[in-house]
Amino acid sequence: VEIKHGRIAMLAIAGYLTTAAGVRLPGAISNSEGLSFSDIPAGFEALKNIPGAGLFQLFAFVGFLETFVMKDSANGAEPGDFIGDFRNGAIDFGWNTFDEETKLNKRAIELNQGRAAMMGI
């Protein structure tokens, strides 16, 4: 669970920094309310300004991914495999070419960066 929360926190930090820098998607977030992406502030203030239906869609999509898509057993994980390693066959970063010491080091780096992101967000 810690690795998953760390990855989410790292994405949250990247998203926060991007929106704090003023980068927004073009177009409207809600046509019915006449609200564009540029009208949404950065950080947690955004949650107050996103329409309720949009928040529902966001949480429903994340819940769907969590329940049906992002399961390690669905991706062919063996018992003892590191959670979240790419096993879907679509992307290969050469993980199997690393020796066990290098893999352990890279996993520790990701875990520590995730912990730092959780503290930062």
Side-chain angles (χ1 to χ4, degrees), residues 82 95 98 101-111:
F82 191 64
W95 184 255
F98 298 131
E101 184 178 339
T102 303
K103 287 181 182 180
L104 190 62
N105 185 41
K106 289 184 178 290
R107 289 172 176 158
I109 290 169
E110 181 184 16
L111 193 59

Side-chain angles (χ1 to χ4, degrees), residues 15-28:
Y16 179 82
L17 293 174
T18 301
T19 56
V23 178
R24 301 289 193 278
L25 292 172

Side-chain angles (χ1 to χ4, degrees), residues 2-121:
E2 183 180 8
I3 195 77
K4 185 188 298 185
H5 290 164
R7 289 174 178 170
I8 292 168
M10 287 187 276
L11 286 171
I13 290 285
Y16 179 82
L17 293 174
T18 301
T19 56
V23 178
R24 301 289 193 278
L25 292 172
I29 191 169
S30 174
N31 286 330
S32 63
E33 296 187 24
L35 195 62
S36 68
F37 285 103
S38 60
D39 297 332
I40 305 295
F44 289 112
E45 284 294 314
L47 294 174
K48 296 177 185 175
N49 294 310
I50 296 175
L55 286 175
F56 174 77
Q57 290 173 2
L58 189 84
F59 287 110
F61 180 65
V62 170
F64 171 79
L65 290 177
E66 182 74 23
T67 305
F68 298 108
V69 178
M70 303 294 187
K71 297 189 306 186
D72 286 324
S73 61
N75 293 328
E78 298 294 326
D81 278 352
F82 191 64
I83 297 170
D85 288 346
F86 288 106
R87 291 180 290 273
N88 58 11
I91 301 172
D92 182 12
F93 292 114
W95 184 255
N96 293 333
T97 63
F98 298 131
D99 60 27
E100 289 304 314
E101 184 178 339
T102 303
K103 287 181 182 180
L104 190 62
N105 185 41
K106 289 184 178 290
R107 289 172 176 158
I109 290 169
E110 181 184 16
L111 193 59
N112 286 331
Q113 288 175 343
R115 288 172 178 164
M118 285 188 277
M119 293 300 293
I121 200 65

